[in-house]
Amino acid sequence: MSSRPARRAVPPHRLVMGAAVVLGLVVTACVAAPDPEPTPVATTAPSPAALAAVTAPAAELALVGVEEADAVALAASRALYERGPVVVLASAAEHADQLVGASAAVALGVPLLLTGGPADGEVAAELERLGATAVLVVGSVATPAWLDAGLDVVTVAADGRAADALAGATGLRLGDAQAVEEGQELVAVAALGRPTTTVLSSAAAVAPAAETPEPADTPAPAASASEARLPRVSPPEPAATTTVLTDGSRAHLAAVATARAAGMPVVLAPGGDPRASAATVDALAGVGPVLALGPAFGSPEVLAARLAAVSTGVQAPGGGQLVFPAAPGAPGKKYVALYGTPGTAALGLLGEQDVPATIARAQQLAAEYQALTADTVVPMLEVIATIASAGPEDGSYSRMRPIEELRPLVEAAGDAGIAVVLDLQPGRTDFVTQAQQYAELLALPHVSLALDPEWRLAPDQVHLRQIGSVGIDEVNAVVAWLADFTRERALPQKMLVLHQFSLRMISERERLDTSRDELALLIHVDGQGSQPAKAGTWAALRAGAPAGVRWGWKNFIDEDVPMLDPVQTYQVQPVPDLVTYQ
């Protein structure tokens, strides 16, 4: 090749590849089997020896923190390929060209890079790093002026004749064009694999067929001597599998094509959180190295913790690992709970029956709400673990139920897909101290925590003489402890419920720490009595509440006048995320 532009350093603001972050996962090493090569077009000339594309060794976690399509495509090429004798180029501004280019790149097993964007100089450097000797330019973009004159350049159009043009340029039969509707481009590219049986094209670019197409088993026409053809390329045989993670942005189209060309699996995580759905948790269970595309996945530290959790493959009640998933177009979750403690009917509905009947009752109650919403309604048990006591007990005015008394119900709930919240009524003990006593149960993926400040006493207070309260620093201490506990054990996200029926119950509530990704915080409005009074409490507690908290509503069987039925309860605005029955 003739002289090429010197490779330029990548500006740090344009491409941020996180340093390898060790996730500490136990993963069975595996080698991805190479995809079979596409069927070559019949020719009379002998085939020269194939040039080899080679994939790069994988880091445990690499994060591409940029948005521009050409920069993301470059990052994927750098992360996944050590050598690529042929490279496909398409316009950074034309998704139709990128679809055809993706088909060619996957069929050949080579990277797809984008031109016409701000990173053109870096593309030139990447061609040199890959050792490219030939380039396939797809679509409307003219051959870039910066392209090395020593490279063999073959150009094809990205129109309805793209399939025939690619067959002539590559020597491979790629099949007829498949129209891809707008918004489905990334899904279509992620599904590509060798042998490529179709050429992806935008719906607008596929010309109507002028005649009956040839049968599928008819060989594609051989290229004439006058047609330019790329050298034959041997697709890479990955030495290790890197899972490529995308939030579904169309800016990732070329990068996803490069991943499929390298034989790497692609997982779509809309919204940028791999914990959001059952499908993504299943797809990422036990994975090894990950290449994440785009800033939606957050910092390397946040993403590493999320991947550590999903790698366990554990599904939380309702599916996925988020308490309240918010992926675009995906259903959310709501919860309906029985409140009380096992074996004691006086403290709520939960204790009115044995364990099997409690499970069945919770499921039936949730089913009444499922008919009212498109969200998944998850049955829940809110179990009073520490019970406010009129006597001093050990000086705390709180009776702690032994773990072994609660375990049968907690484990039966988990087996049935029912969420559990352990409710603390600590008396003169602090919430953190009591929460830590139930670490064994909180280590279960379906078990969360609730704080009941009504029963948090000052040193000189006694239950039923005063209404308790808690300072925000103690609440935030629970937030920190529970979040750390959840992260260290790679558990699904946990709900932290804060019970409240007056503003004074949680002092300085505006300073509530809502920053911890491991937790979903919910303020549970516990007012009882007439419905106008309950509505007033609901409005008063919502005013000035910290941003990002969710909301719970309690229906009191005996105390509400009247108690709302499910239809009426879901007419409360905003619709409660958690409805509890006591």
Side-chain angles (χ1 to χ4, degrees):
M1 293 176 61
S2 62
S3 61
R4 301 176 183 154
R7 186 180 180 196
R8 299 192 315 193
V10 182
H13 68 282
R14 289 202 46 76
L15 181 61
V16 180
M17 291 292 294
V21 178
V22 178
L23 303 184
L25 310 182
V26 179
V27 181
T28 302
C30 62
V31 177
D35 293 316
E37 295 187 37
T39 306
V41 171
T43 65
T44 56
S47 297
L51 302 174
V54 180
T55 60
E60 281 296 318
L61 173 62
L63 177 62
V64 181
V66 294
E67 296 181 351
E68 298 90 343
D70 55 345
V72 179
L74 276 165
S77 177
R78 290 169 176 150
L80 300 176
Y81 276 87
E82 279 192 342
R83 184 168 70 248
V86 173
V87 173
V88 180
L89 297 179
S91 169
E94 297 292 339
H95 288 100
D97 295 358
Q98 293 173 35
L99 284 170
V100 176
S103 303
V106 174
L108 293 166
V110 302
L112 171 61
L113 300 178
L114 302 180
T115 69
D120 273 356
E122 295 168 32
V123 174
E126 179 65 0
L127 294 177
E128 182 164 359
R129 185 193 71 83
L130 291 167
T133 61
V135 170
L136 176 64
V137 178
V138 176
S140 57
V141 64
T143 302
W146 47 260
L147 201 61
D148 191 334
L151 291 169
D152 294 327
V153 179
V154 178
T155 302
V156 297
D159 55 20
R161 298 177 296 277
D164 289 341
L166 287 179
T170 64
L172 303 172
R173 182 173 59 235
L174 304 185
D176 295 326
Q178 171 189 327
V180 178
E181 297 297 329
E182 185 175 354
Q184 296 301 308
E185 297 94 340
L186 203 70
V187 174
V189 172
L192 286 174
R194 293 187 298 272
T196 302
T197 56
T198 59
V199 175
L200 301 180
S201 182
S202 70
V206 178
E211 56 187 37
T212 303
E214 296 180 81
D217 58 355
T218 302
S224 67
S226 62
E227 289 178 315
R229 175 173 289 185
L230 298 166
R232 190 159 66 92
V233 183
S234 175
E237 298 185 10
T241 299
T242 296
T243 299
V244 175
L245 195 58
T246 169
D247 67 353
S249 169
R250 287 209 301 174
H252 302 167
L253 194 154
V256 167
T258 294
R260 297 301 300 130
M264 305 303 179
V266 173
V267 176
L268 273 68
D273 193 331
R275 303 170 298 171
S277 72
T280 54
V281 172
D282 284 342
L284 293 166
V287 298
V290 169
L291 173 66
L293 306 177
F297 290 103
S299 69
E301 294 76 20
V302 166
L303 180 58
R306 292 174 174 179
L307 290 173
V310 298
S311 73
T312 66
V314 173
Q315 300 279 352
Q321 292 191 345
L322 292 180
V323 175
F324 300 111
K333 290 183 189 177
K334 295 191 180 300
Y335 297 80
V336 175
L338 297 179
Y339 180 91
T341 197
T344 305
L347 294 180
L349 302 187
L350 186 149
E352 292 182 351
Q353 57 282 306
D354 62 13
V355 168
T358 298
I359 298 299
R361 189 173 186 179
Q363 291 171 328
Q364 176 58 41
L365 190 59
E368 295 178 26
Y369 282 83
Q370 186 61 80
L372 306 176
T373 178
D375 291 337
T376 298
V377 178
V378 180
M380 176 181 276
L381 303 177
E382 184 167 355
V383 180
I384 308 173
T386 65
I387 305 169
S389 172
E393 298 289 335
D394 58 356
S396 69
Y397 286 84
S398 177
R399 180 169 66 88
M400 298 185 63
R401 296 207 60 176
I403 286 176
E404 293 312 311
E405 289 183 6
L406 303 179
R407 185 182 298 280
L409 179 60
V410 170
E411 291 185 346
D415 292 341
I418 294 176
V420 172
V421 173
L422 300 181
D423 185 78
L424 303 182
Q425 300 177 357
R428 295 179 181 178
T429 305
D430 67 274
F431 280 115
V432 176
T433 298
Q434 281 204 342
Q436 291 170 342
Q437 301 306 306
Y438 291 93
E440 188 175 334
L441 295 180
L442 289 168
L444 299 174
H446 67 291
V447 178
S448 294
L449 188 65
L451 311 184
D452 205 338
E454 176 185 3
W455 309 107
R456 172 67 172 97
L457 299 176
D460 59 346
Q461 290 181 328
V462 177
H463 294 304
L464 302 181
R465 294 182 187 173
Q466 298 91 12
I467 295 174
S469 63
V470 66
I472 196 61
D473 290 337
E474 184 173 324
V475 175
N476 285 340
V478 176
V479 170
W481 176 80
L482 187 59
D484 290 344
F485 181 91
T486 302
R487 174 177 287 209
E488 290 163 4
R489 288 158 182 77
L491 293 167
Q493 192 180 53
K494 290 188 179 295
M495 185 187 299
L496 179 59
V497 178
L498 307 177
H499 287 280
Q500 190 174 22
F501 58 78
S502 73
L503 290 170
R504 64 169 297 276
M505 287 171 59
I506 305 176
S507 64
E508 298 184 89
R509 190 184 63 169
E510 67 277 3
R511 293 201 293 113
L512 177 65
D513 182 3
T514 60
S515 68
R516 295 303 300 263
D517 186 61
E518 302 86 356
L519 306 181
L521 275 62
L522 181 143
I523 296 175
H524 200 288
V525 180
D526 286 357
Q528 59 178 270
S530 70
Q531 289 307 321
K534 287 173 69 78
T537 301
W538 178 261
L541 291 179
R542 282 183 41 77
V549 299
R550 298 291 185 130
W551 292 92
W553 175 277
K554 183 170 284 190
N555 283 327
F556 288 86
I557 300 294
D558 297 324
E559 292 83 0
D560 283 355
V561 185
M563 189 186 78
L564 301 183
D565 63 24
V567 172
Q568 293 167 329
T569 301
Y570 269 8
Q571 289 173 350
V572 173
Q573 294 299 317
V575 176
D577 299 291
L578 166 62
V579 178
T580 302
Y581 281 80
Q582 181 175 349

